[in-house]
Amino acid sequence: MKRALILLLMAMAHVVSAHEPIVIPTPNSLVVTEGVCRISPLTTISTNDNSLQPIVGYAVQEIGLIESRNIGDIELIVDNSLESEEYRLSVTPLGIIVRGGDYGGVFNGVVTLMQLLPPSVYDGGLRGSVEIACCEISDKPHYAHRGFMLDVCRTWMDKVAVMAFIDLLAYHKINSLRLHLTDDEAWRIEIKSHPELAEVGGYRGGDSPIWPRYGKWNERWGGYYTQEEMREIISYAAVRNIEVVPEIDLPGHSLCMATMHPEILCAYTPKCASSFGYDTRSAFCAAREENYELLADILGEICELFPSPYIHIGGDEVDMSQWKRCPKCQALMRDNGMTNTSELQQYFMSRLSDIIATHGKSPAVWNEAIEGGRLASNTLVYGWESVAKCRKSALNYKTVVMPGQYFYFDMKQSAREPGHDWAAIFDWTKVYDFSLAAQGFTASEQVNVVGFEGSCFSEAYASRNPESPAYLHYQTFPRVVALAEIAWVGDKKQDRGDFYDCMIAHYNRLDAMGVSYRLMPPVVSYSNGVLSASTDDGSRVYYRTVNSDVEVLYTDGIKTSKPAEYSFVSRRGSAHSPEAAVAAHFKTITPAFNITSSMTDSEKFSFDKAEAYGRIARTTRAGDVGDWVMFSFDAPVECRSMKVATGNFQLPRYIFENGYVEVSYDGVNFERVGDLECGMYTIERPQRAIKAVRIVCTSRGNGAEWVSIQPPTILPKL
Ligand code: TNX
């Protein structure tokens, strides 16, 4: 609809343009004017303002222009009459002027200018001469904070990978990148006064004392940023109008630190028999005075290194049972009249706030940190648990709104896709529809909302070829595009269908950027003996049958009496959709079986729960070499595939880290069919009916206190 209107307007203005102006995030005002402007690799760009020099360099590098000392064809100007991040972009036959209220404003104007050029600009810059429609754009963001958080702990991303992602964020006018630098699984930033934190804590698995979680079981894997590298990331981001906000996640999520420095833990000896001696406690003791000295060293260096006015000090998901069992914590609470452990957390966070205040910085925290009483009034709260928690925070604090069910892009996008589902299962449309007003934020609460932030926690990435950005891209794009849009326009949104039209045009740019984004699934229908699939996004559709791994280009309806045998996927550029098919294709069967094991099952999560296909069962300890779990079916099962798995549904955690799978067709003789990968194995197209499957463990421990056992996933013969 909107595109049709633009085309009509352009026709009326007699503009011949190779490229209709679709800008995302949508500008406040874009008026197409008469004429065209020609741009080529010989076009010059200039500024008379030294502070804008990095943007000239950026445009030269990205678009492929020539820098000029005289007034160029494209001129960058700071205009003090405009607000921070506001810009005016004027494209005329004689040249282009970008005026911005400040550095960010001018940068935003240049990002918009890039979108007026053909998409190939994102793939090596301008190749030849192009004509663009003349226009006048007047634009500014609704929210000052348009953020994204990368979890570089669970999955290591080196400097180059982070910079590549910064490029993508910058193309969408995201202006804050939070780096989640410490967690249970890793310590990713060099601390010169305590070099072992990164040198040891940056690596897990192999000969490292840090247990390998979520992937890469057999090698020492990871890395960390030296302070020098972090400075490079910070300035790379700053050129692109992105501020890097560091997060040191405290006092919980500190298992990595505690593995290196067990003295930071509460003063009691844990029971570690079920984890083969591995201590899984993860919280700093709040009553140990030396802990504050250590954290003063660490946070002091962080404050020096990062120009950001905020230092995120965590505060989420603290396992307070540790403090309840600690005599020192209990004494501290008694002496200070504290009645619950949230107050103890407030005490801890306030001590850290005092430390960073001495360096002129303000604290940022996750929403749990405000539960135990008032924090410093300059605290920035990141609300993640729910909309209600965000609203509660916004009563008293500046708040970044990022409830998991709208902004956690590590969540699945539909039921059978990868990712978590604890918050919700959602695609970009749900992000787009998010609005403070619709969520019931009062006017005064809205005033305290500084903006939105997307995130991608990366537990599920580490086991999916983390050397490639494909998984990260798939989870985050186009959800980041929707995030960028709503953070820019606020509640003044266009109809979602119209935005989708713009998004599809924008896909051409994502293709040129090399982003492996997620397409919407093809629509599949079956009638009169013909199976059809369609898409509306310019992608090609491919199909497969259950009997073959070969993908075939779909061109026309498929005549078949067995529609469930087919599944479809669409592709364009590096993007692809999830698998789509008629419902019967995905149907599973649940034949009766029982579980036996060399390990006992837990009382609460007993084997019979999994036998009822209800939920995951648990053993009472981690696995050792030779341990086994067996699924025995009451009657032999004919099927087209059977997946057996240790560990949780979405994450390879609580698994047999190494092992193999044996199948028996008679219940007596077993044959080895393959090795576990991330604790699981799928028996594909078994030739005979299966009577029993046995999973055998070949390694000791899994860094936790039990093994999870999933019910098998069985797809019937069709
Ligand atoms: C909750 S977000 C967490 C993270 C997990 C994430 C997975 C937050 C403050 N804590 O530790 O990685 O869920 O979605």
Side-chain angles (χ1 to χ4, degrees):
M1 180 56 203
K2 179 166 173 186
R3 284 160 80 196
L5 195 67
I6 291 171
L7 285 173
L8 184 73
L9 284 174
M10 286 168 60
M12 283 163 55
H14 305 291
V15 172
V16 189
S17 168
H19 183 57
E20 78 190 52
I22 288 181
V23 177
I24 289 185
T26 307
N28 302 176
S29 153
L30 184 161
V31 179
V32 174
T33 54
E34 195 117 355
V36 292
C37 174
R38 183 170 287 280
I39 302 183
S40 79
L42 297 177
T43 299
T44 57
I45 180 166
S46 68
T47 182
N48 61 1
D49 189 322
N50 251 338
S51 70
L52 300 180
Q53 203 53 46
I55 306 183
V56 171
Y58 178 80
V60 165
Q61 188 192 324
E62 291 278 320
I63 307 177
L65 304 168
I66 294 176
E67 180 176 351
S68 165
R69 293 195 178 276
N70 307 317
I71 293 182
D73 306 316
I74 302 173
E75 216 193 328
L76 309 184
I77 299 169
V78 171
D79 177 341
N80 292 322
S81 72
L82 300 177
E83 292 171 22
S84 175
E85 290 209 276
E86 182 175 9
Y87 71 93
R88 299 269 189 282
L89 174 60
S90 170
V91 179
T92 72
L94 299 175
I96 295 173
I97 298 178
V98 184
R99 287 185 295 133
D102 54 8
Y103 184 97
V106 175
F107 184 80
N108 290 332
V110 168
V111 170
T112 295
L113 172 60
M114 286 173 71
Q115 295 196 355
L116 302 182
L117 300 172
S120 57
V121 74
Y122 294 100
D123 180 21
L126 277 177
R127 299 221 176 79
S129 173
V130 296
E131 278 184 353
I132 61 174
C134 289
C135 60
E136 297 292 330
I137 297 177
S138 166
D139 200 13
K140 64 177 182 189
H142 186 80
Y143 292 109
H145 183 104
R146 304 178 304 280
F148 193 82
M149 189 219 77
L150 275 179
D151 170 9
V152 292
C153 283
R154 277 57 175 267
T155 299
W156 165 238
M157 290 173 68
D158 65 16
K159 180 186 82 177
V160 173
V162 171
M163 287 175 169
F165 203 76
I166 286 174
D167 280 334
L168 300 181
L169 297 176
Y171 295 149
H172 294 87
K173 303 191 178 103
I174 297 292
N175 67 358
S176 176
L177 170 67
R178 186 152 48 96
L179 290 177
H180 184 72
L181 291 169
T182 73
D183 209 304
D184 290 328
E185 293 77 15
W187 187 281
R188 299 286 186 214
I189 181 72
E190 176 190 27
I191 302 296
K192 290 193 195 282
S193 56
H194 300 274
E196 76 288 357
L197 292 179
E199 283 168 13
V200 177
Y203 299 85
R204 61 181 190 253
D207 61 1
S208 169
I210 314 301
W211 203 280
R213 288 229 214 144
Y214 305 130
K216 304 274 186 186
W217 313 109
N218 298 319
E219 53 185 291
R220 182 172 178 271
W221 179 69
Y224 64 88
Y225 312 106
T226 63
Q227 294 197 359
E228 196 42 50
E229 285 175 318
M230 187 51 75
R231 271 188 212 101
E232 287 175 48
I233 292 175
I234 291 165
S235 51
Y236 189 86
V239 168
R240 289 153 181 77
N241 191 38
I242 292 177
E243 181 160 79
V244 178
V245 179
E247 179 186 355
I248 305 294
D249 200 354
L250 303 162
H253 284 276
S254 298
L255 177 62
C256 175
M257 157 70 90
T259 307
M260 294 181 277
H261 288 286
E263 68 277 9
I264 66 156
L265 293 167
C266 286
Y268 67 92
T269 313
K271 292 195 194 101
C272 311
S274 56
S275 58
F276 297 114
Y278 190 75
D279 187 347
T280 58
R281 291 177 299 168
S282 58
F284 271 74
C285 175
R288 184 175 179 269
E289 205 47 40
E290 298 91 317
N291 282 352
Y292 297 104
E293 289 164 23
L294 171 65
L295 290 169
D297 290 347
I298 293 169
L299 293 172
E301 289 191 39
I302 295 292
C303 289
E304 291 304 309
L305 180 57
F306 290 87
S308 155
Y310 288 102
I311 304 296
H312 199 302
I313 49 177
D316 64 312
E317 298 182 316
V318 182
D319 175 1
M320 297 182 187
S321 69
Q322 294 165 40
W323 292 345
K324 287 184 185 143
R325 297 183 58 192
C326 172
K328 282 166 95 177
C329 286
Q330 289 301 309
L332 179 68
M333 286 177 66
R334 262 196 316 277
D335 293 350
N336 289 278
M338 301 179 203
T339 54
N340 65 57
T341 45
S342 288
E343 290 170 298
L344 189 55
Q345 169 157 4
Q346 190 258 2
Y347 168 87
F348 186 95
M349 300 314 271
S350 294
R351 296 266 322 243
L352 302 192
S353 299
D354 292 347
I355 292 170
I356 61 176
T358 65
H359 298 273
K361 303 283 188 181
S362 299
V365 298
W366 291 110
N367 64 244
E368 292 99 310
I370 65 171
E371 295 297 325
R374 280 304 278 264
L375 293 169
S377 60
N378 60 339
T379 304
L380 177 65
V381 179
Y382 287 66
W384 70 282
E385 283 185 295
S386 64
V387 169
K389 298 276 177 165
C390 293
R391 288 189 55 193
K392 184 175 172 196
S393 162
L395 285 174
N396 293 310
Y397 303 96
K398 292 278 174 234
T399 301
V400 175
V401 167
M402 54 180 309
Q405 64 268 42
Y406 299 91
F407 294 103
Y408 272 33
F409 302 161
D410 50 323
M411 295 298 139
K412 288 171 190 264
Q413 300 179 77
S414 71
R416 281 173 301 272
E417 289 183 79
H420 282 293
D421 63 8
W422 65 260
I425 296 175
F426 67 95
D427 60 28
W428 69 267
T429 59
K430 190 170 163 186
V431 183
Y432 185 77
D433 289 346
F434 185 85
S435 121
L436 292 187
Q439 295 288 346
F441 282 70
T442 63
S444 63
E445 287 163 4
Q446 291 195 31
V447 169
N448 269 339
V449 172
V450 296
F452 302 145
E453 184 157 310
S455 71
C456 193
F457 284 94
S458 64
E459 294 98 323
Y461 182 12
S463 57
R464 289 184 166 86
N465 187 17
E467 287 74 23
S468 148
Y471 180 78
L472 177 68
H473 284 177
Y474 188 84
Q475 294 301 92
T476 54
F477 282 86
R479 288 191 279 198
V480 164
V481 181
L483 163 74
E485 176 75 5
I486 63 168
W488 189 269
V489 306
D491 281 344
K492 279 189 253 108
K493 269 183 275 196
Q494 58 186 315
D495 170 83
R496 169 140 59 72
D498 290 340
F499 180 70
Y500 185 43
D501 285 344
C502 298
M503 173 99 94
I504 291 168
H506 190 70
Y507 281 175
N508 292 322
R509 298 182 194 127
L510 297 181
D511 289 340
M513 293 170 201
V515 179
S516 316
Y517 54 100
R518 176 195 188 263
L519 295 166
M520 295 301 253
V523 176
V524 176
S525 62
Y526 181 64
S527 73
N528 300 326
V530 178
L531 183 64
S532 316
S534 64
T535 59
D536 56 5
D537 55 15
S539 60
R540 287 178 164 214
V541 179
Y542 297 81
Y543 70 91
R544 266 189 324 143
T545 72
V546 292
N547 303 313
S548 154
D549 292 325
V550 180
E551 218 171 67
V552 182
L553 182 66
Y554 168 89
T555 49
D556 215 345
I558 301 168
K559 265 208 175 93
T560 176
S561 59
K562 294 185 165 178
E565 289 198 346
Y566 294 80
S567 66
F568 300 85
V569 67
S570 65
R571 301 183 184 281
R572 53 172 285 169
S574 319
H576 67 94
S577 74
E579 211 181 22
V582 296
H585 176 82
F586 298 110
K587 204 181 134 228
T588 56
I589 50 173
T590 55
F593 73 103
N594 73 322
I595 297 176
T596 47
S597 174
S598 59
M599 299 170 284
T600 49
D601 53 344
S602 92
E603 219 168 284
K604 191 163 165 208
F605 301 91
S606 49
F607 287 153
D608 56 1
K609 300 278 177 6
E611 287 164 359
Y613 292 91
R615 63 170 165 179
I616 290 174
R618 288 182 189 174
T619 64
T620 52
R621 61 171 171 82
D624 202 349
V625 179
D627 272 324
W628 53 270
V629 182
M630 184 158 78
F631 303 85
S632 307
F633 294 95
D634 291 8
V637 178
E638 292 244 27
C639 61
R640 68 178 205 269
S641 91
M642 181 184 291
K643 182 178 114 188
V644 289
T646 58
N648 287 2
F649 284 126
Q650 292 105 357
L651 292 182
R653 206 180 153 186
Y654 309 110
I655 62 173
F656 282 168
E657 290 186 351
N658 293 286
Y660 58 88
V661 169
E662 298 176 320
V663 172
S664 173
Y665 304 107
D666 58 9
V668 181
N669 300 301
F670 283 81
E671 68 185 58
R672 182 166 167 162
V673 289
D675 292 337
L676 292 179
E677 219 172 284
C678 297
M680 63 177 83
Y681 183 77
T682 303
I683 307 155
E684 294 286 2
R685 301 186 197 104
Q687 294 304 304
R688 281 186 279 164
I690 295 174
K691 183 72 176 93
V693 182
R694 186 157 59 199
I695 312 178
V696 182
C697 183
T698 56
S699 57
R700 182 182 173 86
N702 60 7
E705 300 100 70
W706 68 81
V707 180
S708 293
I709 312 291
Q710 296 180 22
T713 307
I714 309 172
L715 298 176
K717 284 207 154 152
L718 293 168

